[in-house]
Amino acid sequence: MQLINITSTPIEYKINIEAARLEMKQSDNPRYQMEQNQGRMNIDAKNIQVRLDSTRLRESLNLRDPGAFARYYGSQGRQTAYENIGERVQFGNQISQIQDGVSISQIVQQKAIQQPTTYTTFIPSAGWDISWQPQELNLDYQPTEMNFDWQVQKNVMEYVPGKYQMDILQYPKIEIEYLGTPTYVPPSSDPNYEE
């Protein structure tokens, strides 16, 4: 009695083959595009510029803007403070030499008879600051231009390679079928077991 049935199915396929070929496209006549740029001339003229600055003139007449006013009198105040400190130090040094026969009254009297320093000045002591830029004339000339863009066609050759194509229609297979009945161990586990 045969207990195993074996069925085999062979492979099925289809093959397509295309031969290689060379394709050529013949060129057209040459073409061109012409572009013309018109000439132009740009003229840029600047007039003469004269600048008059009266800042130093006004400062010599004590007519300053707020920022310059604060800077000037700040520096004057600092200088006056340093001069007063120097005078106090000199007065202290003179007083410290009393042992040499100098009295405080002599020092004060000598200070009182000192003449203030005087000087002569002319106002205004500064003039105008004058600066100028000369006249400018700039010419920019661009001549007429003609541009040709040639489009020369070439013969186009294209090689198309051959093609090999295989389509699998059915894959091979083997079917194994067991025709017998199962064997149970122990035999008592068989549902159809009879003693």
Side-chain angles (χ1 to χ4, degrees):
M1 171 175 191
Q2 184 179 356
L3 295 178
I4 296 176
N5 184 20
I6 299 175
T7 305
S8 66
T9 305
I11 187 171
E12 288 185 27
Y13 58 88
K14 181 173 72 171
I15 296 175
N16 292 326
I17 299 174
E18 290 184 20
R21 66 186 184 276
L22 181 64
E23 296 178 353
M24 184 176 76
K25 180 181 177 184
Q26 191 172 4
S27 64
D28 299 330
N29 291 332
R31 292 177 296 176
Y32 71 92
Q33 291 180 351
M34 183 178 70
E35 181 180 351
Q36 181 177 1
N37 296 329
Q38 295 294 331
R40 64 180 185 270
M41 180 165 53
N42 297 327
I43 300 175
D44 184 16
K46 292 182 180 178
N47 292 330
I48 188 170
Q49 294 181 356
V50 178
R51 295 183 187 87
L52 302 174
D53 186 4
S54 63
T55 304
R56 292 194 315 147
L57 173 69
R58 287 184 286 113
E59 286 180 355
S60 68
L61 297 172
N62 205 17
L63 301 172
R64 297 178 171 86
D65 61 12
F69 183 84
R71 285 191 297 273
Y72 175 75
Y73 282 104
S75 65
Q76 290 293 325
R78 185 170 51 249
Q79 182 177 354
T80 303
Y82 288 153
E83 289 175 358
N84 284 336
I85 291 171
E87 290 177 4
R88 299 296 180 266
V89 169
Q90 184 181 7
F91 181 69
N93 289 339
Q94 290 173 349
I95 291 176
S96 66
Q97 296 175 359
I98 293 179
Q99 71 274 9
D100 295 339
V102 179
S103 66
I104 294 177
S105 60
Q106 290 174 343
I107 295 172
V108 172
Q109 181 182 7
Q110 181 183 0
K111 189 132 184 90
I113 63 173
Q114 284 181 352
Q115 295 294 324
T117 304
T118 60
Y119 60 93
T120 304
T121 184
F122 298 96
I123 56 173
S125 61
W128 291 80
D129 289 333
I130 300 173
S131 62
W132 65 284
Q133 286 184 344
Q135 180 181 4
E136 293 182 4
L137 181 65
N138 297 322
L139 299 176
D140 180 18
Y141 173 69
Q142 294 183 355
T144 302
E145 292 181 355
M146 294 184 70
N147 297 323
F148 292 91
D149 183 14
W150 285 94
Q151 297 177 358
V152 179
Q153 303 293 327
K154 296 181 179 179
N155 292 336
V156 177
M157 300 179 73
E158 181 180 0
Y159 172 73
V160 179
K163 186 191 295 184
Y164 175 84
Q165 181 178 0
M166 185 170 82
D167 295 330
I168 304 294
L169 302 177
Q170 180 176 327
Y171 288 96
K173 64 181 177 180
I174 296 176
E175 294 180 359
I176 300 174
E177 183 180 1
Y178 179 67
L179 301 176
T181 59
T183 304
Y184 292 94
V185 177
S188 60
S189 62
D190 186 357
N192 299 324
Y193 175 72
E194 293 180 5
E195 287 189 18

